[in-house]
Amino acid sequence: MAERGGRVCVLGSANVDTVVRVGRRPGPGETVRGLGRDRFAGGKGLNQAVAAARMGAVVDFRARVGSDGAADFLAQRLAADGLDLAGVVRTAAPTGTADITVDAAGENTIVFCGGANDEFTELSAADGAAVATADVLLLQGEVPVPVLVEAARLGRTVVLTPAPVRRFPAELLDAVDVLVPNEHEAAELTGERDPAAAALALSTGGRSVLVTVGERGVELAADGRPLGRVPAIPVSSVDTTGAGDTFAGALGALLAEGAELPDAARVAAAAAALSVTRPGADGMPHRHEVTELQAATTIVGG
């Protein structure tokens, strides 16, 4: 893995994902036959850490897991991508889990149980040092809000994925430099159904906003100004699990290198496109794969 100089701290969740593939997702009270069942390392924090590392960033992952076999499984997965485990602290609570159903179109539904993630309520001294020295801090909503607020106050460039959506306090949002919701999260935060309008509404106080809209790309706005849409690269989707985390992790890696926001968004969109062509949240691509996809797309597009 080639390091490109940017340092990214990812503070967030680590889970074991159980993915069940179905022809179609069941309705209320309905039973459907599963087509297969797999286990992956997951959690928005872990996904973003792996995605950023595969894009060449130097990553410091800060998380809480259990003292159980699931935590051992996650440790093996993180080590395989060269991630340092010093910031992954074991607790008495069970490791977090996510149960994911993926249909034939690649769309998913997820049930998340926080477990040890819910124990991450404050920063240790080592966590604080990691946050303060990183070029970019990536945060998500699967750990308690107090630790997000504490970390955001220390971060240099703070990127927040507001998922799952909740009532995020103003003291957190005011410390966020880049907000990365999907179109549904943006609509819930603003009441705006149009992603471009939602991006504009959220881009106050000098904040940049990137609203991901799946196969339609990404809507950008900054400091109350629309920056237009970055188009998605057309691909055949297998599983959308982790696509948003791949986008955020890749975005963080590029911003840590010093890339301008639209350029970072284009690379991140290509990374997310590649991720949906593979099953599970472990489909994040490596940097050379993203570069190859962008080059091939440029050639085809003329």
Side-chain angles (χ1 to χ4, degrees):
M1 179 180 65
E3 293 181 354
R4 295 170 181 258
R7 300 191 66 85
V8 175
C9 179
V10 182
L11 187 148
S13 57
N15 305 322
V16 172
D17 292 351
T18 298
V19 179
V20 178
R21 299 184 304 280
V22 294
R24 62 178 180 81
R25 286 170 289 169
E30 183 183 14
T31 299
V32 299
R33 180 178 293 277
L35 304 178
R37 186 174 184 269
D38 297 291
R39 186 170 73 150
F40 299 96
K44 291 185 177 300
L46 185 147
N47 290 344
Q48 292 184 12
V50 171
R54 291 185 181 178
M55 292 298 289
V58 180
V59 177
D60 193 336
F61 181 39
R62 321 302 296 189
R64 302 294 183 263
V65 295
S67 298
D68 48 25
D72 296 336
F73 172 73
L74 295 182
Q76 292 171 2
R77 191 66 205 81
L78 289 167
D81 274 291
L83 288 161
D84 189 345
L85 300 178
V88 181
V89 178
R90 299 204 179 207
T91 73
T95 299
T97 60
D99 294 292
I100 304 169
T101 303
V102 182
D103 66 18
E107 294 297 329
N108 63 65
T109 53
I110 303 174
V111 178
F112 165 64
C113 294
N117 296 298
D118 295 338
E119 303 295 306
F120 201 173
T121 57
E122 61 183 5
L123 299 179
S124 67
D127 293 330
V131 168
T133 56
D135 298 304
V136 171
L137 169 65
L138 296 181
L139 302 173
Q140 326 80 38
E142 289 184 342
V143 295
V145 167
V147 78
L148 298 178
V149 173
E150 189 180 359
R153 289 172 176 162
L154 297 175
R156 295 179 183 176
T157 299
V158 181
V159 180
L160 172 66
T161 301
V165 175
R166 62 178 78 180
R167 287 184 174 273
F168 293 104
E171 59 186 329
L172 172 58
L173 295 177
D174 288 347
V176 170
D177 300 293
V178 183
L179 190 66
V180 191
N182 64 27
E183 59 185 313
H184 308 294
E185 293 152 1
E188 190 165 344
L189 289 169
T190 64
E192 293 279 0
R193 308 308 301 181
D194 176 60
L200 196 61
L202 290 167
S203 66
T204 57
R207 185 186 307 118
S208 298
V209 178
L210 299 89
V211 178
T212 59
V213 287
E215 62 186 14
R216 288 171 289 144
V218 187
E219 292 288 351
L220 276 64
D223 200 16
R225 296 178 295 108
L227 299 181
R229 178 179 292 183
V230 170
I233 296 175
V235 294
S236 297
S237 177
V238 171
D239 184 356
T240 59
T241 304
D245 298 328
T246 299
F247 180 89
L251 181 76
L254 269 291
L255 293 177
E257 291 176 14
E260 296 295 326
L261 188 66
D263 295 331
R266 278 187 282 273
V267 176
L274 271 177
S275 77
V276 305
T277 66
R278 304 163 178 176
D282 190 35
M284 306 89 160
H286 292 83
R287 184 66 169 261
H288 69 89
E289 296 176 298
V290 177
T291 301
E292 290 165 5
L293 176 64
Q294 288 187 291
T297 304
T298 300
I299 292 171
V300 171

mmCIF file with all atom_site columns, all heavy atoms in Angstrom, residues 233 270 274 278 286-300:
data_model
loop_
_atom_site.group_PDB
_atom_site.id
_atom_site.type_symbol
_atom_site.label_atom_id
_atom_site.label_alt_id
_atom_site.label_comp_id
_atom_site.label_asym_id
_atom_site.label_entity_id
_atom_site.label_seq_id
_atom_site.pdbx_PDB_ins_code
_atom_site.Cartn_x
_atom_site.Cartn_y
_atom_site.Cartn_z
_atom_site.occupancy
_atom_site.B_iso_or_equiv
_atom_site.pdbx_formal_charge
_atom_site.auth_seq_id
_atom_site.auth_comp_id
_atom_site.auth_asym_id
_atom_site.auth_atom_id
_atom_site.pdbx_PDB_model_num
ATOM 1   N N   . ILE A 1 233 ? -20.026 7.205  -12.019 1.00 0.00 ? 233 ILE A N   1
ATOM 2   C CA  . ILE A 1 233 ? -19.580 6.349  -13.116 1.00 0.00 ? 233 ILE A CA  1
ATOM 3   C C   . ILE A 1 233 ? -20.540 5.169  -13.206 1.00 0.00 ? 233 ILE A C   1
ATOM 4   O O   . ILE A 1 233 ? -20.745 4.459  -12.226 1.00 0.00 ? 233 ILE A O   1
ATOM 5   C CB  . ILE A 1 233 ? -18.139 5.860  -12.876 1.00 0.00 ? 233 ILE A CB  1
ATOM 6   C CG1 . ILE A 1 233 ? -17.177 7.063  -12.886 1.00 0.00 ? 233 ILE A CG1 1
ATOM 7   C CG2 . ILE A 1 233 ? -17.735 4.836  -13.928 1.00 0.00 ? 233 ILE A CG2 1
ATOM 8   C CD1 . ILE A 1 233 ? -15.753 6.705  -12.551 1.00 0.00 ? 233 ILE A CD1 1
ATOM 9   N N   . ALA A 1 270 ? -15.727 7.602  -7.808  1.00 0.00 ? 270 ALA A N   1
ATOM 10  C CA  . ALA A 1 270 ? -15.228 6.445  -8.554  1.00 0.00 ? 270 ALA A CA  1
ATOM 11  C C   . ALA A 1 270 ? -14.984 5.269  -7.615  1.00 0.00 ? 270 ALA A C   1
ATOM 12  O O   . ALA A 1 270 ? -15.283 4.112  -7.947  1.00 0.00 ? 270 ALA A O   1
ATOM 13  C CB  . ALA A 1 270 ? -13.951 6.810  -9.302  1.00 0.00 ? 270 ALA A CB  1
ATOM 14  N N   . LEU A 1 274 ? -16.953 1.528  -7.736  1.00 0.00 ? 274 LEU A N   1
ATOM 15  C CA  . LEU A 1 274 ? -16.309 0.216  -7.736  1.00 0.00 ? 274 LEU A CA  1
ATOM 16  C C   . LEU A 1 274 ? -16.810 -0.654 -6.583  1.00 0.00 ? 274 LEU A C   1
ATOM 17  O O   . LEU A 1 274 ? -16.987 -1.863 -6.730  1.00 0.00 ? 274 LEU A O   1
ATOM 18  C CB  . LEU A 1 274 ? -14.792 0.382  -7.625  1.00 0.00 ? 274 LEU A CB  1
ATOM 19  C CG  . LEU A 1 274 ? -14.015 0.532  -8.927  1.00 0.00 ? 274 LEU A CG  1
ATOM 20  C CD1 . LEU A 1 274 ? -12.539 0.772  -8.620  1.00 0.00 ? 274 LEU A CD1 1
ATOM 21  C CD2 . LEU A 1 274 ? -14.179 -0.702 -9.806  1.00 0.00 ? 274 LEU A CD2 1
ATOM 22  N N   . ARG A 1 278 ? -19.146 -5.245 -5.900  1.00 0.00 ? 278 ARG A N   1
ATOM 23  C CA  . ARG A 1 278 ? -18.636 -6.361 -5.109  1.00 0.00 ? 278 ARG A CA  1
ATOM 24  C C   . ARG A 1 278 ? -19.541 -6.591 -3.906  1.00 0.00 ? 278 ARG A C   1
ATOM 25  O O   . ARG A 1 278 ? -20.106 -5.646 -3.380  1.00 0.00 ? 278 ARG A O   1
ATOM 26  C CB  . ARG A 1 278 ? -17.215 -6.047 -4.632  1.00 0.00 ? 278 ARG A CB  1
ATOM 27  C CG  . ARG A 1 278 ? -16.276 -5.719 -5.783  1.00 0.00 ? 278 ARG A CG  1
ATOM 28  C CD  . ARG A 1 278 ? -15.027 -5.017 -5.316  1.00 0.00 ? 278 ARG A CD  1
ATOM 29  N NE  . ARG A 1 278 ? -14.118 -4.757 -6.422  1.00 0.00 ? 278 ARG A NE  1
ATOM 30  C CZ  . ARG A 1 278 ? -12.979 -4.089 -6.313  1.00 0.00 ? 278 ARG A CZ  1
ATOM 31  N NH1 . ARG A 1 278 ? -12.602 -3.607 -5.144  1.00 0.00 ? 278 ARG A NH1 1
ATOM 32  N NH2 . ARG A 1 278 ? -12.213 -3.903 -7.371  1.00 0.00 ? 278 ARG A NH2 1
ATOM 33  N N   . HIS A 1 286 ? -8.774  -0.493 -3.990  1.00 0.00 ? 286 HIS A N   1
ATOM 34  C CA  . HIS A 1 286 ? -7.470  0.117  -3.753  1.00 0.00 ? 286 HIS A CA  1
ATOM 35  C C   . HIS A 1 286 ? -7.265  1.278  -4.731  1.00 0.00 ? 286 HIS A C   1
ATOM 36  O O   . HIS A 1 286 ? -7.959  1.381  -5.745  1.00 0.00 ? 286 HIS A O   1
ATOM 37  C CB  . HIS A 1 286 ? -6.367  -0.925 -3.907  1.00 0.00 ? 286 HIS A CB  1
ATOM 38  C CG  . HIS A 1 286 ? -6.382  -1.961 -2.830  1.00 0.00 ? 286 HIS A CG  1
ATOM 39  N ND1 . HIS A 1 286 ? -7.215  -3.068 -2.869  1.00 0.00 ? 286 HIS A ND1 1
ATOM 40  C CD2 . HIS A 1 286 ? -5.675  -2.068 -1.679  1.00 0.00 ? 286 HIS A CD2 1
ATOM 41  C CE1 . HIS A 1 286 ? -7.019  -3.807 -1.782  1.00 0.00 ? 286 HIS A CE1 1
ATOM 42  N NE2 . HIS A 1 286 ? -6.099  -3.226 -1.041  1.00 0.00 ? 286 HIS A NE2 1
ATOM 43  N N   . ARG A 1 287 ? -6.317  2.124  -4.420  1.00 0.00 ? 287 ARG A N   1
ATOM 44  C CA  . ARG A 1 287 ? -6.114  3.351  -5.190  1.00 0.00 ? 287 ARG A CA  1
ATOM 45  C C   . ARG A 1 287 ? -5.865  3.066  -6.674  1.00 0.00 ? 287 ARG A C   1
ATOM 46  O O   . ARG A 1 287 ? -6.428  3.742  -7.544  1.00 0.00 ? 287 ARG A O   1
ATOM 47  C CB  . ARG A 1 287 ? -4.930  4.128  -4.584  1.00 0.00 ? 287 ARG A CB  1
ATOM 48  C CG  . ARG A 1 287 ? -4.643  5.486  -5.227  1.00 0.00 ? 287 ARG A CG  1
ATOM 49  C CD  . ARG A 1 287 ? -5.784  6.465  -4.981  1.00 0.00 ? 287 ARG A CD  1
ATOM 50  N NE  . ARG A 1 287 ? -5.430  7.815  -5.353  1.00 0.00 ? 287 ARG A NE  1
ATOM 51  C CZ  . ARG A 1 287 ? -5.028  8.755  -4.491  1.00 0.00 ? 287 ARG A CZ  1
ATOM 52  N NH1 . ARG A 1 287 ? -4.920  8.468  -3.205  1.00 0.00 ? 287 ARG A NH1 1
ATOM 53  N NH2 . ARG A 1 287 ? -4.755  9.974  -4.894  1.00 0.00 ? 287 ARG A NH2 1
ATOM 54  N N   . HIS A 1 288 ? -5.051  2.083  -6.980  1.00 0.00 ? 288 HIS A N   1
ATOM 55  C CA  . HIS A 1 288 ? -4.732  1.824  -8.385  1.00 0.00 ? 288 HIS A CA  1
ATOM 56  C C   . HIS A 1 288 ? -5.977  1.395  -9.164  1.00 0.00 ? 288 HIS A C   1
ATOM 57  O O   . HIS A 1 288 ? -6.110  1.709  -10.358 1.00 0.00 ? 288 HIS A O   1
ATOM 58  C CB  . HIS A 1 288 ? -3.634  0.757  -8.499  1.00 0.00 ? 288 HIS A CB  1
ATOM 59  C CG  . HIS A 1 288 ? -4.041  -0.624 -8.107  1.00 0.00 ? 288 HIS A CG  1
ATOM 60  N ND1 . HIS A 1 288 ? -4.586  -1.527 -8.999  1.00 0.00 ? 288 HIS A ND1 1
ATOM 61  C CD2 . HIS A 1 288 ? -4.018  -1.262 -6.907  1.00 0.00 ? 288 HIS A CD2 1
ATOM 62  C CE1 . HIS A 1 288 ? -4.865  -2.651 -8.380  1.00 0.00 ? 288 HIS A CE1 1
ATOM 63  N NE2 . HIS A 1 288 ? -4.533  -2.531 -7.106  1.00 0.00 ? 288 HIS A NE2 1
ATOM 64  N N   . GLU A 1 289 ? -6.924  0.711  -8.506  1.00 0.00 ? 289 GLU A N   1
ATOM 65  C CA  . GLU A 1 289 ? -8.149  0.302  -9.180  1.00 0.00 ? 289 GLU A CA  1
ATOM 66  C C   . GLU A 1 289 ? -9.014  1.515  -9.517  1.00 0.00 ? 289 GLU A C   1
ATOM 67  O O   . GLU A 1 289 ? -9.623  1.583  -10.595 1.00 0.00 ? 289 GLU A O   1
ATOM 68  C CB  . GLU A 1 289 ? -8.937  -0.652 -8.287  1.00 0.00 ? 289 GLU A CB  1
ATOM 69  C CG  . GLU A 1 289 ? -8.242  -1.972 -8.003  1.00 0.00 ? 289 GLU A CG  1
ATOM 70  C CD  . GLU A 1 289 ? -9.024  -2.831 -7.043  1.00 0.00 ? 289 GLU A CD  1
ATOM 71  O OE1 . GLU A 1 289 ? -9.225  -2.406 -5.884  1.00 0.00 ? 289 GLU A OE1 1
ATOM 72  O OE2 . GLU A 1 289 ? -9.450  -3.925 -7.446  1.00 0.00 ? 289 GLU A OE2 1
ATOM 73  N N   . VAL A 1 290 ? -9.066  2.475  -8.607  1.00 0.00 ? 290 VAL A N   1
ATOM 74  C CA  . VAL A 1 290 ? -9.838  3.692  -8.842  1.00 0.00 ? 290 VAL A CA  1
ATOM 75  C C   . VAL A 1 290 ? -9.215  4.495  -9.980  1.00 0.00 ? 290 VAL A C   1
ATOM 76  O O   . VAL A 1 290 ? -9.918  4.996  -10.870 1.00 0.00 ? 290 VAL A O   1
ATOM 77  C CB  . VAL A 1 290 ? -9.913  4.548  -7.556  1.00 0.00 ? 290 VAL A CB  1
ATOM 78  C CG1 . VAL A 1 290 ? -10.648 5.850  -7.816  1.00 0.00 ? 290 VAL A CG1 1
ATOM 79  C CG2 . VAL A 1 290 ? -10.609 3.756  -6.450  1.00 0.00 ? 290 VAL A CG2 1
ATOM 80  N N   . THR A 1 291 ? -7.908  4.610  -9.975  1.00 0.00 ? 291 THR A N   1
ATOM 81  C CA  . THR A 1 291 ? -7.206  5.330  -11.032 1.00 0.00 ? 291 THR A CA  1
ATOM 82  C C   . THR A 1 291 ? -7.471  4.688  -12.392 1.00 0.00 ? 291 THR A C   1
ATOM 83  O O   . THR A 1 291 ? -7.716  5.376  -13.393 1.00 0.00 ? 291 THR A O   1
ATOM 84  C CB  . THR A 1 291 ? -5.690  5.351  -10.747 1.00 0.00 ? 291 THR A CB  1
ATOM 85  O OG1 . THR A 1 291 ? -5.464  5.990  -9.487  1.00 0.00 ? 291 THR A OG1 1
ATOM 86  C CG2 . THR A 1 291 ? -4.938  6.099  -11.840 1.00 0.00 ? 291 THR A CG2 1
ATOM 87  N N   . GLU A 1 292 ? -7.439  3.360  -12.433 1.00 0.00 ? 292 GLU A N   1
ATOM 88  C CA  . GLU A 1 292 ? -7.694  2.637  -13.682 1.00 0.00 ? 292 GLU A CA  1
ATOM 89  C C   . GLU A 1 292 ? -9.120  2.853  -14.163 1.00 0.00 ? 292 GLU A C   1
ATOM 90  O O   . GLU A 1 292 ? -9.361  3.035  -15.367 1.00 0.00 ? 292 GLU A O   1
ATOM 91  C CB  . GLU A 1 292 ? -7.416  1.149  -13.482 1.00 0.00 ? 292 GLU A CB  1
ATOM 92  C CG  . GLU A 1 292 ? -5.932  0.828  -13.318 1.00 0.00 ? 292 GLU A CG  1
ATOM 93  C CD  . GLU A 1 292 ? -5.683  -0.567 -12.764 1.00 0.00 ? 292 GLU A CD  1
ATOM 94  O OE1 . GLU A 1 292 ? -6.672  -1.322 -12.598 1.00 0.00 ? 292 GLU A OE1 1
ATOM 95  O OE2 . GLU A 1 292 ? -4.515  -0.904 -12.482 1.00 0.00 ? 292 GLU A OE2 1
ATOM 96  N N   . LEU A 1 293 ? -10.091 2.829  -13.244 1.00 0.00 ? 293 LEU A N   1
ATOM 97  C CA  . LEU A 1 293 ? -11.476 3.055  -13.623 1.00 0.00 ? 293 LEU A CA  1
ATOM 98  C C   . LEU A 1 293 ? -11.678 4.461  -14.180 1.00 0.00 ? 293 LEU A C   1
ATOM 99  O O   . LEU A 1 293 ? -12.331 4.646  -15.210 1.00 0.00 ? 293 LEU A O   1
ATOM 100 C CB  . LEU A 1 293 ? -12.412 2.842  -12.427 1.00 0.00 ? 293 LEU A CB  1
ATOM 101 C CG  . LEU A 1 293 ? -13.885 3.144  -12.681 1.00 0.00 ? 293 LEU A CG  1
ATOM 102 C CD1 . LEU A 1 293 ? -14.474 2.202  -13.725 1.00 0.00 ? 293 LEU A CD1 1
ATOM 103 C CD2 . LEU A 1 293 ? -14.702 3.055  -11.381 1.00 0.00 ? 293 LEU A CD2 1
ATOM 104 N N   . GLN A 1 294 ? -11.083 5.456  -13.526 1.00 0.00 ? 294 GLN A N   1
ATOM 105 C CA  . GLN A 1 294 ? -11.217 6.828  -14.015 1.00 0.00 ? 294 GLN A CA  1
ATOM 106 C C   . GLN A 1 294 ? -10.584 6.986  -15.389 1.00 0.00 ? 294 GLN A C   1
ATOM 107 O O   . GLN A 1 294 ? -11.144 7.655  -16.265 1.00 0.00 ? 294 GLN A O   1
ATOM 108 C CB  . GLN A 1 294 ? -10.560 7.798  -13.026 1.00 0.00 ? 294 GLN A CB  1
ATOM 109 C CG  . GLN A 1 294 ? -11.343 7.961  -11.737 1.00 0.00 ? 294 GLN A CG  1
ATOM 110 C CD  . GLN A 1 294 ? -10.737 9.051  -10.862 1.00 0.00 ? 294 GLN A CD  1
ATOM 111 O OE1 . GLN A 1 294 ? -9.648  8.892  -10.339 1.00 0.00 ? 294 GLN A OE1 1
ATOM 112 N NE2 . GLN A 1 294 ? -11.438 10.146 -10.749 1.00 0.00 ? 294 GLN A NE2 1
ATOM 113 N N   . ALA A 1 295 ? -9.429  6.359  -15.582 1.00 0.00 ? 295 ALA A N   1
ATOM 114 C CA  . ALA A 1 295 ? -8.767  6.459  -16.888 1.00 0.00 ? 295 ALA A CA  1
ATOM 115 C C   . ALA A 1 295 ? -9.596  5.797  -17.976 1.00 0.00 ? 295 ALA A C   1
ATOM 116 O O   . ALA A 1 295 ? -9.759  6.332  -19.071 1.00 0.00 ? 295 ALA A O   1
ATOM 117 C CB  . ALA A 1 295 ? -7.385  5.809  -16.806 1.00 0.00 ? 295 ALA A CB  1
ATOM 118 N N   . ALA A 1 296 ? -10.155 4.615  -17.676 1.00 0.00 ? 296 ALA A N   1
ATOM 119 C CA  . ALA A 1 296 ? -10.965 3.900  -18.663 1.00 0.00 ? 296 ALA A CA  1
ATOM 120 C C   . ALA A 1 296 ? -12.236 4.678  -18.982 1.00 0.00 ? 296 ALA A C   1
ATOM 121 O O   . ALA A 1 296 ? -12.671 4.732  -20.150 1.00 0.00 ? 296 ALA A O   1
ATOM 122 C CB  . ALA A 1 296 ? -11.331 2.514  -18.132 1.00 0.00 ? 296 ALA A CB  1
ATOM 123 N N   . THR A 1 297 ? -12.825 5.314  -17.981 1.00 0.00 ? 297 THR A N   1
ATOM 124 C CA  . THR A 1 297 ? -14.037 6.097  -18.188 1.00 0.00 ? 297 THR A CA  1
ATOM 125 C C   . THR A 1 297 ? -13.750 7.315  -19.049 1.00 0.00 ? 297 THR A C   1
ATOM 126 O O   . THR A 1 297 ? -14.528 7.690  -19.927 1.00 0.00 ? 297 THR A O   1
ATOM 127 C CB  . THR A 1 297 ? -14.627 6.535  -16.839 1.00 0.00 ? 297 THR A CB  1
ATOM 128 O OG1 . THR A 1 297 ? -14.862 5.384  -16.035 1.00 0.00 ? 297 THR A OG1 1
ATOM 129 C CG2 . THR A 1 297 ? -15.941 7.277  -17.038 1.00 0.00 ? 297 THR A CG2 1
ATOM 130 N N   . THR A 1 298 ? -12.590 7.940  -18.834 1.00 0.00 ? 298 THR A N   1
ATOM 131 C CA  . THR A 1 298 ? -12.204 9.104  -19.638 1.00 0.00 ? 298 THR A CA  1
ATOM 132 C C   . THR A 1 298 ? -12.009 8.722  -21.090 1.00 0.00 ? 298 THR A C   1
ATOM 133 O O   . THR A 1 298 ? -12.439 9.415  -22.008 1.00 0.00 ? 298 THR A O   1
ATOM 134 C CB  . THR A 1 298 ? -10.895 9.715  -19.082 1.00 0.00 ? 298 THR A CB  1
ATOM 135 O OG1 . THR A 1 298 ? -11.104 10.108 -17.731 1.00 0.00 ? 298 THR A OG1 1
ATOM 136 C CG2 . THR A 1 298 ? -10.472 10.923 -19.906 1.00 0.00 ? 298 THR A CG2 1
ATOM 137 N N   . ILE A 1 299 ? -11.381 7.558  -21.322 1.00 0.00 ? 299 ILE A N   1
ATOM 138 C CA  . ILE A 1 299 ? -11.146 7.088  -22.683 1.00 0.00 ? 299 ILE A CA  1
ATOM 139 C C   . ILE A 1 299 ? -12.472 6.794  -23.399 1.00 0.00 ? 299 ILE A C   1
ATOM 140 O O   . ILE A 1 299 ? -12.711 7.211  -24.529 1.00 0.00 ? 299 ILE A O   1
ATOM 141 C CB  . ILE A 1 299 ? -10.257 5.837  -22.672 1.00 0.00 ? 299 ILE A CB  1
ATOM 142 C CG1 . ILE A 1 299 ? -8.835  6.214  -22.205 1.00 0.00 ? 299 ILE A CG1 1
ATOM 143 C CG2 . ILE A 1 299 ? -10.204 5.187  -24.053 1.00 0.00 ? 299 ILE A CG2 1
ATOM 144 C CD1 . ILE A 1 299 ? -7.945  5.023  -21.943 1.00 0.00 ? 299 ILE A CD1 1
ATOM 145 N N   . VAL A 1 300 ? -13.368 6.087  -22.692 1.00 0.00 ? 300 VAL A N   1
ATOM 146 C CA  . VAL A 1 300 ? -14.672 5.744  -23.275 1.00 0.00 ? 300 VAL A CA  1
ATOM 147 C C   . VAL A 1 300 ? -15.483 6.996  -23.549 1.00 0.00 ? 300 VAL A C   1
ATOM 148 O O   . VAL A 1 300 ? -16.152 7.128  -24.576 1.00 0.00 ? 300 VAL A O   1
ATOM 149 C CB  . VAL A 1 300 ? -15.442 4.798  -22.340 1.00 0.00 ? 300 VAL A CB  1
ATOM 150 C CG1 . VAL A 1 300 ? -16.866 4.611  -22.820 1.00 0.00 ? 300 VAL A CG1 1
ATOM 151 C CG2 . VAL A 1 300 ? -14.734 3.454  -22.268 1.00 0.00 ? 300 VAL A CG2 1
#
